[in-house]
Amino acid sequence: MMNENINKILLSLLLVITMTTQAQQPVASASLDTNSMLIGDQIGFNLQLQLPQTTPFRWPVFTDTLTADIEIIHRGTIDTTRMANGMLRIDQKLTITVFDSGYYVIPPVSFATGAALDTIAETEPFLLNVFTVAVDTTQAIKPIKGPIAAPLTFAELFPWILLIVAVLLIGAALFYYYKKRKKKQPVVFARPKPKIPPHRWALDELEKLRNEKLWQKNLIKLYHSRLTEIVRQYLDDRFGIMAPEMTSQEIMQAAYDINLPDKNLRELQQILELADLVKFAKYTPIPGENSQSMQQATDFVKDTAPASENKTEKMNGSNEYTKEAIAEAAPTVTRNESYAQ
Amino acid sequence: MIETSIREINEKIQQESAFIDLINLELNKVIIGQKHMLERLLIGLLADGHILLEGVPGLAKTLAIKSLAGAIDAGFSRIQFTPDLLPADLIGTLIYSQKNEEFVVRQGPIFSNFILADEINRSPAKVQSALLEAMQERQVTIGDSTFLLPEPFLVMATQNPIEQEGTYPLPEAQVDRFMLKVVISYPKKEEEKMILRQNNSLHRAPLNKVVSPESILRARAVTREVYLDEKIENYITDIVFATRYPSQYKLAKFDGMINYGASPRASINLALASKAYAFIKRRGYVIPEDIRAIAHDVLRHRIGLTYEAEAENITSEDIINEILNTIEVP
């Protein structure tokens, strides 16, 4: 009976001694945030070493990879905690990633401990599963998704806010300056330059040409060129016929199309035909023909001037329009069918 | 009072232009409509300028040229251009004579007054070059000997606009040798009906030779005398320069549309063709109407368009129209 009690006591002592010895040994451990991750994702690899505070140790140095395929993105600081039972706990968190799918082994991490650093404490190896995104081959291929815009920070916005404020201030200053300056200037209402009616312009130009006496100075070609230029410009301004860019034949056709009276069509045709002969066929008209062209041009302009203008000018006595001419210029004209031939 | 020289020219024109009516009568026996094309053929004949006719197959291009040559008492050769045609088939070659034991010259079909180069774009460039050299130089060299071509010498070529297998488009430098490029369109409905009747009829009026080559040469000499005023010369140069520098003529919208403008040959041909047109109208002087009438036919093949213009569907016809509508007429 006594022997049994002695055995129990010895066994208990042995257990206590064994546990105490075990507690004094360096213990290395590691853990993963998860052992299954999406390709390219980042997970934490947590390392821990516990050992008596007086025991020397050497923490491993990590480069940018854990193995050939497992990359270390970030190395956390080594954190040391003194525990109540006289032990020391050292922690470090490594952020790791893998860029290919498959199963990867995270090898044990070794810590050298002891006075001669000859005692090795190792963590357990881990198996890491890296999976990829499932591809649905039944769907059409889509373009690469663009970069996701990061939310704007105040630091980024600040220079722009400053710029807008500056522009607004400058604008306000300019506006204020302009208003102040405008107030100082006397208000002057400029009378808009009255637009000369086409017939007025043409009659003035014809009068100028008549006074230049070109054909009397034997400048017959120049005289007829100028004369037709005035008539063409008048047709352009008065009826919108692009006569300066038209040939005589085209001008006559256009004049016929706007239903000008027969008399005016005949006048226009004679002016243009005579001018063409002078300009292109070395024709020398007799003096009567030169003055007749001028008279025909003047009559043509007067006859085809707007009816209201005619009336007004007649009442003012500023023109020598006849009643007949006004009547002829009125829109109740008949088409000269023979001209179309 | 018209100056004596113009009066004289007018009288000469009256004398020498009688054959125009005769030719027109003969041509109208076989060609219905196509007045524009027939008039252009006469312009080429009078202005001594070669003509390129372009149109879809079946528009009487070949028939018109054949008939024109048939109405003139002069030599005529028709050359069908094919991909296997050789320059020697055109201009001739040296052949060894066993009898005389020497090389003798065998002249090709180009030695004739009127040449119909049918479907000219079906032969490769070396054959086109041989023809176009003859057109320009009016002479042909075979071996060591140079032979002058007979007068009048006129090449009337046809080509189809449709892109087809085995065609060789004429390069710009060669197409420039043609005085006129006439584009032929389909006949009117009434004309088509007449064509139908004429071709179903058993009786066909034979073509008579109504004009001698000498008459043509005399008419050409008178055509050269037709008076062209300096104002018309300025108008011609303005038109041609507007194809080269459009922005200087209020046509800035065509900047970047024109790859190359009309050459000085275009100015020369505009003047010559307008004189011939005035001659046909029995007038001893050129007026702006004459220039406008032939401007499209003289210029359309001489304006090179850029890719931008083609992308915008702008054609050389559009450019010519705009130029004519913008430049002031003297």
Side-chain angles (χ1 to χ4, degrees):
Chain A
M1 186 69 184
M2 187 144 168
N3 282 340
E4 269 184 25
N5 289 333
I6 291 167
N7 283 341
K8 282 180 182 172
I9 291 164
L10 282 173
L11 190 61
S12 300
L13 275 171
L14 187 66
L15 273 170
V16 169
I17 291 165
T18 308
M19 284 174 74
T20 312
T21 313
Q22 185 69 28
Q24 295 299 312
Q25 288 299 310
V27 179
S29 65
S31 67
L32 279 170
D33 288 352
T34 174
N35 57 2
S36 180
M37 63 177 270
L38 183 65
I39 186 167
D41 212 351
Q42 296 170 10
I43 58 167
F45 179 50
N46 307 297
L47 292 170
Q48 194 181 81
L49 176 67
Q50 284 191 28
L51 75 172
Q53 290 176 8
T54 53
T55 307
F57 69 95
R58 190 171 63 200
W59 195 260
V61 177
F62 297 103
T63 56
D64 54 353
T65 53
L66 210 53
T67 66
D69 298 310
I70 303 170
E71 293 183 22
I72 298 170
I73 304 289
H74 180 253
R75 289 182 292 274
T77 51
I78 299 168
D79 191 15
T80 311
T81 312
R82 289 178 194 283
M83 298 173 75
N85 58 357
M87 297 292 280
L88 188 69
R89 200 179 90 184
I90 306 113
D91 294 282
Q92 188 179 21
K93 185 174 183 175
L94 303 175
T95 308
I96 59 170
T97 188
V98 180
F99 293 108
D100 204 356
S101 59
Y103 286 92
Y104 297 92
V105 173
I106 298 176
V109 180
S110 303
F111 302 91
T113 59
L117 296 174
D118 51 355
T119 308
I120 301 298
E122 277 188 341
T123 61
E124 287 178 12
F126 290 93
L127 191 63
L128 178 64
N129 174 24
V130 179
F131 60 88
T132 184
V133 180
V135 178
D136 186 356
T137 53
T138 59
Q139 298 293 316
I141 296 169
K142 290 176 184 168
I144 297 166
K145 202 173 178 182
I148 298 164
L152 285 170
T153 60
F154 181 74
E156 286 171 325
L157 287 173
F158 187 67
W160 293 101
I161 293 166
L162 274 182
L163 184 71
I164 291 164
V165 170
V167 168
L168 286 173
L169 283 173
I170 292 166
L174 284 173
F175 180 72
Y176 177 74
Y177 172 75
Y178 174 75
K179 247 189 140 181
K180 203 173 171 186
R181 202 178 156 199
K182 206 176 171 187
K183 270 182 191 169
K184 283 179 188 171
Q185 285 177 346
V187 180
V188 178
F189 291 103
R191 183 184 287 275
K193 202 178 173 184
K195 200 185 169 198
I196 306 168
H199 68 284
R200 264 273 142 241
W201 172 86
L203 290 172
D204 289 349
E205 290 296 313
L206 286 170
E207 191 56 36
K208 270 188 220 166
L209 182 63
R210 193 199 306 267
N211 294 335
E212 283 179 40
K213 298 185 185 301
L214 290 177
W215 67 264
Q216 290 90 335
K217 294 174 193 167
N218 210 25
L219 295 170
I220 300 165
K221 205 167 171 177
L222 180 62
Y223 170 75
H224 283 275
S225 296
R226 290 269 304 277
L227 186 77
T228 48
E229 274 169 20
I230 294 165
V231 174
R232 284 169 181 219
Q233 194 57 52
Y234 168 70
L235 286 168
D236 190 1
D237 296 341
R238 168 74 180 90
F239 300 107
I241 297 171
M242 289 166 64
E245 291 84 30
M246 286 178 168
T247 63
S248 302
Q249 211 175 338
E250 289 166 342
I251 293 169
M252 285 312 299
Q253 188 57 52
Y256 170 75
D257 289 341
I258 57 164
N259 290 345
L260 282 183
D262 290 356
K263 174 181 174 280
N264 300 132
L265 284 173
R266 273 195 304 276
E267 283 167 350
L268 186 61
Q269 191 172 15
Q270 282 168 13
I271 295 164
L272 295 175
E273 273 181 2
L274 181 65
D276 278 357
L277 282 171
V278 173
K279 285 191 284 183
F280 310 126
K282 298 194 217 172
Y283 180 68
T284 313
I286 53 171
E289 286 179 309
N290 292 326
S291 50
Q292 191 190 14
S293 267
M294 174 62 78
Q295 190 56 47
Q296 283 173 329
T298 311
D299 290 347
F300 177 80
V301 174
K302 284 177 179 175
D303 291 354
T304 54
S308 58
E309 293 280 344
N310 273 336
K311 275 180 190 170
T312 315
E313 285 171 6
K314 191 168 187 293
M315 282 166 70
N316 293 341
S318 62
N319 210 311
E320 50 186 27
Y321 294 167
T322 61
K323 201 175 177 181
E324 291 74 23
I326 295 167
E328 275 189 44
T332 55
V333 288
T334 54
R335 180 177 273 228
N336 181 0
E337 295 299 339
S338 63
Y339 180 72
Q341 307 304 313
Chain B
M1 183 177 62
I2 289 183
E3 210 172 78
T4 324
S5 62
I6 304 268
R7 198 190 302 276
E8 280 171 8
I9 295 165
N10 277 339
E11 282 167 11
K12 281 185 191 173
I13 288 173
Q14 291 303 324
Q15 284 171 15
E16 300 297 339
S17 63
F19 76 89
I20 290 173
D21 293 333
L22 292 173
I23 286 184
N24 277 332
L25 273 173
E26 288 303 310
L27 292 179
N28 287 335
K29 285 182 186 173
V30 287
I31 310 278
I32 310 288
Q34 303 290 13
K35 287 199 183 304
H36 178 85
M37 174 178 67
L38 297 179
E39 202 172 60
R40 267 52 188 173
L41 287 178
L42 285 174
I43 289 174
L45 195 67
L46 289 166
D48 197 11
H50 308 293
I51 302 163
L52 179 63
L53 294 183
E54 189 181 276
V56 292
L59 291 181
K61 300 186 292 287
T62 308
L63 180 66
I65 294 169
K66 244 176 101 174
S67 306
L68 179 68
I72 300 166
D73 190 14
F76 171 69
S77 288
R78 175 188 168 152
I79 307 162
Q80 182 66 46
F81 277 61
T82 53
D84 58 348
L85 196 76
L86 295 170
D89 299 330
L90 195 73
I91 60 171
T93 188
L94 290 171
I95 291 176
Y96 185 72
S97 165
Q98 284 189 330
K99 188 179 167 189
N100 301 324
E101 294 184 342
E102 60 178 9
F103 281 97
V104 290
V105 173
R106 172 70 60 86
Q107 291 185 343
I110 202 161
F111 287 89
S112 195
N113 295 106
F114 296 103
I115 310 293
L116 166 55
D118 218 2
E119 296 190 282
I120 192 170
N121 55 346
R122 289 211 171 274
S123 280
K126 59 183 177 184
V127 186
Q128 292 170 1
S129 296
L131 173 72
L132 295 164
E133 271 178 42
M135 285 164 65
Q136 185 66 22
E137 308 295 330
R138 312 230 168 207
Q139 62 181 30
V140 169
T141 302
I142 304 169
D144 296 332
S145 311
T146 300
F147 301 91
L148 286 175
L149 292 168
E151 279 291 333
F153 175 71
L154 187 66
V155 174
M156 292 169 280
T158 71
Q159 69 173 15
N160 299 332
I162 302 166
E163 290 290 330
Q164 288 171 335
E165 283 294 319
T167 54
Y168 303 87
L170 292 171
E172 292 82 4
Q174 294 188 347
V175 89
D176 195 40
R177 308 268 171 90
F178 286 98
M179 174 184 265
L180 306 174
K181 182 183 174 184
V182 185
V183 176
I184 305 159
S185 55
Y186 289 109
K188 292 172 190 155
K189 205 171 178 182
E190 276 305 308
E191 291 169 349
E192 186 109 8
K193 218 156 73 180
M194 299 266 284
I195 293 166
L196 195 80
R197 282 183 195 161
Q198 193 192 51
N199 280 273
N200 282 333
S201 165
L202 286 172
H203 304 289
R204 286 198 184 182
L207 273 177
N208 301 312
K209 293 195 181 297
V210 289
V211 190
S212 66
E214 290 73 32
S215 305
I216 305 285
L217 293 175
R218 279 201 307 274
R220 277 186 181 179
V222 178
T223 304
R224 289 266 175 177
E225 287 181 43
V226 169
Y227 176 65
L228 188 85
D229 194 81
E230 198 185 339
K231 277 179 177 288
I232 301 287
E233 285 173 0
N234 291 339
Y235 188 45
I236 289 173
T237 47
D238 277 345
I239 291 171
V240 172
F241 266 68
T243 67
R244 299 176 201 165
Y245 315 109
S247 54
Q248 291 178 16
Y249 292 86
K250 300 176 196 165
L251 291 164
K253 63 180 172 183
F254 290 139
D255 275 347
M257 300 277 183
I258 299 171
N259 197 12
Y260 56 87
S263 63
R265 201 181 269 142
S267 304
I268 297 165
N269 287 333
L270 261 175
L272 290 175
S274 62
K275 282 182 171 190
Y277 189 79
F279 181 95
I280 291 170
K281 301 289 174 193
R282 269 81 165 178
R283 207 180 332 96
Y285 55 93
V286 177
I287 56 173
E289 273 90 347
D290 303 332
I291 306 293
R292 289 172 82 105
I294 47 91
H296 283 89
D297 297 315
V298 175
L299 295 175
R300 66 163 59 92
H301 54 297
R302 293 188 159 100
I303 297 173
L305 301 175
T306 58
Y307 289 117
E308 285 81 1
E310 283 170 17
E312 300 272 331
N313 276 335
I314 289 173
T315 62
S316 57
E317 300 284 335
D318 297 331
I319 291 171
I320 298 165
N321 275 335
E322 202 62 32
I323 287 171
L324 293 179
N325 289 334
T326 307
I327 291 178
E328 282 199 14
V329 175

